[in-house]
Amino acid sequence: MPPTCALCPSRPIILRPSNHQRLCAPCFLRTFEDLIYHTITTSRLFRSGERIAIGASGGKDSCVLASVLSTLNKRHSLNLDLILLSIDEGITGYRDHSLDAVRRNAAALDLPLHILSYAELYGWSMDQVVAQIGKKGNCTYCGVFRRQALDRGASRLGVRHVVTGHNADDVAETVVMNLLRGDVARLGRGTSILTQTAGGMEKSETGEVEVTDVKRSKPLMYAYEKEIVLYAHHKKLDYFSTECIYSPEAFRGSARTLIKNLERIRPESILDIVRSGVDMAALVPDGEGRCAGACADKGGKKEVSRIAVDEEDDGNGGCGNGPGAGTGGQMIDMEKRLTEEEKARELGIEVEVSSQPADGSAPVLVDGHKKENGNATITTVPIRPKKKKQAVDTASLASVPERKLGKCERCGYLSSQRICKACVLLEGLNKARPKAPIAVELNG
């Protein structure tokens, strides 16, 4: 008997990468959409009547996100006002083609589109940034600028919620990258499905919104990248699939290779890494050193009784009088040796015994000399007395730095630092830029 779809009598053509479920194309599309709807409702990402800006890059993730949100908005009457927001980084031969795909999707979904460029916001395009700093580290500039550009674009549109197409593979890569860098404190934002700060919008004298506290959410956080590709294929979505020309040098590529190798062995490892990142983020102490994780109630746990441990050890043989214990003479010899070593430490000497006395008598210690005692040769060497360890004042130790989302003092946008990274990077670029253009005249 031929296999059938797990949800209907039709013939299955899709094997879900996440759980190996056999589905037909219509059932897979509906199952994927139900997964995203479940994520939205359980995480309470949206509220009725909210304006949502979809970060649209033209790739598979953003195209699938826009299509799914548009479908769910109509099916479940979410009453969302959806807008496509695209950022033009200024990468010749890459971004211009992907923006064409965004325009086609905007027309197909009947959604308004707003495009904002790096050159307009920062006075720099990514081609100019790469020409200035080289191909290594340029993804840091692009990622920081793009995140803030989405906030600025949303503020111009009067939108306070931006959704991005980060999927489970992206979040797992972020977890691995932060662990490899030793930056556990950053896991809280990387694994959070919703980030926001309290506050409202501010307008300039011209009426344009200048500062806004924009929420960011990831509705595709628990969706596998392979399932996103399958959804785009069977939904016949138009997306741009070429990789950025500057991304091969990115550190994320190393984490992606590791994640893909793990997925090949065990597909469930992607979501396991995501959940592990969420759990580890809960264990990061706050500014007062308190932990929100499982160790928060550590004071209620009982300590292991030292008496019980000693009693258990005595019953297992060894140095006591139980089974397997040595003779009483061996214990006496051991006590003598310990006593002599204690005397040597008090005198500031180190004892070296080359052979054991035949009569079993204890060696005689003479400071700085050798003495024959039966068949034993005893050598005493002056040593430096050991200093006693001072107690460490734990109160003086620096606490784990607290990472809380706030506002940058310069631009007023989301940042966990006093000055956001975008302003720091932009300041470095502007310092290296010449004040006046250099003109070269060619004679003849």
Side-chain angles (χ1 to χ4, degrees), residues 63-323:
C63 289
V64 168
L65 178 61
S67 176
V68 171
L69 289 183
S70 179
T71 301
L72 296 179
N73 192 29
K74 298 174 182 177
R75 179 184 300 166
H76 298 283
S77 300
L78 299 179
N79 193 24
L80 301 177
D81 185 8
L82 301 177
I83 303 172
L84 294 181
L85 176 60
S86 294
I87 305 300
D88 183 7
E89 296 92 347
I91 303 176
T92 305
Y94 168 72
R95 182 52 69 198
D96 45 0
H97 296 301
S98 64
L99 288 178
D100 292 337
V102 173
R103 294 186 182 95
R104 292 193 295 268
N105 277 278
L109 298 174
D110 193 20
L111 296 177
L113 171 63
H114 181 75
I115 300 176
L116 202 61
S117 67
Y118 280 5
E120 179 183 353
L121 291 175
Y122 309 112
W124 290 81
S125 67
M126 272 310 298
D127 288 339
Q128 294 173 330
V129 172
V130 173
Q132 179 74 23
I133 67 171
K135 290 188 176 181
K136 288 189 176 181
N138 54 77
C139 287
T140 300
Y141 286 79
C142 187
V144 172
F145 288 164
R146 184 170 58 248
R147 283 192 294 271
Q148 190 180 103
L150 287 172
D151 289 349
R152 292 191 176 188
S155 68
R156 292 189 179 187
L157 297 174
V159 177
R160 298 188 60 184
H161 194 162
V162 176
V163 294
T164 58
H166 293 90
N167 54 52
D169 296 57
D170 297 329
V171 178
E173 292 167 8
T174 302
V175 172
V176 172
M177 289 171 60
N178 288 328
L179 291 178
L180 293 177
R181 290 171 175 164
D183 193 359
V184 182
R186 198 180 292 269
L187 285 175
R189 282 177 293 166
T191 58
S192 177
I193 195 171
L194 177 66
T195 56
Q196 62 179 337
T197 57
M201 295 186 179
E202 300 178 6
K203 293 186 177 181
S204 62
E205 297 179 355
T206 60
E208 182 181 2
V209 178
E210 289 185 339
V211 180
T212 179
D213 294 322
V214 180
K215 295 189 296 183
R216 304 184 191 133
S217 62
K218 300 184 279 285
L220 302 181
M221 179 174 172
Y222 300 108
Y224 278 49
E225 184 179 30
K226 289 183 178 179
E227 294 190 359
I228 292 175
V229 175
L230 288 173
Y231 183 90
H233 173 73
H234 291 282
K235 196 76 172 180
K236 295 181 173 56
L237 298 180
D238 182 9
Y239 65 92
F240 185 71
S241 58
T242 303
E243 189 178 14
C244 176
I245 59 177
Y246 299 133
S247 63
E249 299 292 337
F251 176 61
R252 181 175 288 270
S254 302
R256 181 180 294 113
T257 302
L258 176 60
I259 295 297
K260 295 305 179 185
N261 291 335
L262 292 175
E263 183 187 14
R264 193 176 298 111
I265 301 172
R266 183 173 175 271
E268 297 84 358
S269 60
I270 292 181
L271 284 182
D272 290 342
I273 293 175
V274 173
R275 296 189 185 99
S276 299
V278 174
D279 294 340
M280 285 186 289
L283 297 177
V284 178
D286 57 13
E288 299 179 359
R290 294 176 301 183
C291 177
C295 60
D297 194 24
K298 188 175 180 180
K301 294 183 179 180
K302 295 182 180 180
E303 295 183 358
V304 179
S305 173
R306 177 62 184 167
I307 298 177
V309 173
D310 291 341
E311 290 176 352
E312 183 180 357
D313 289 343
D314 287 343
N316 294 331
C319 296
N321 294 327

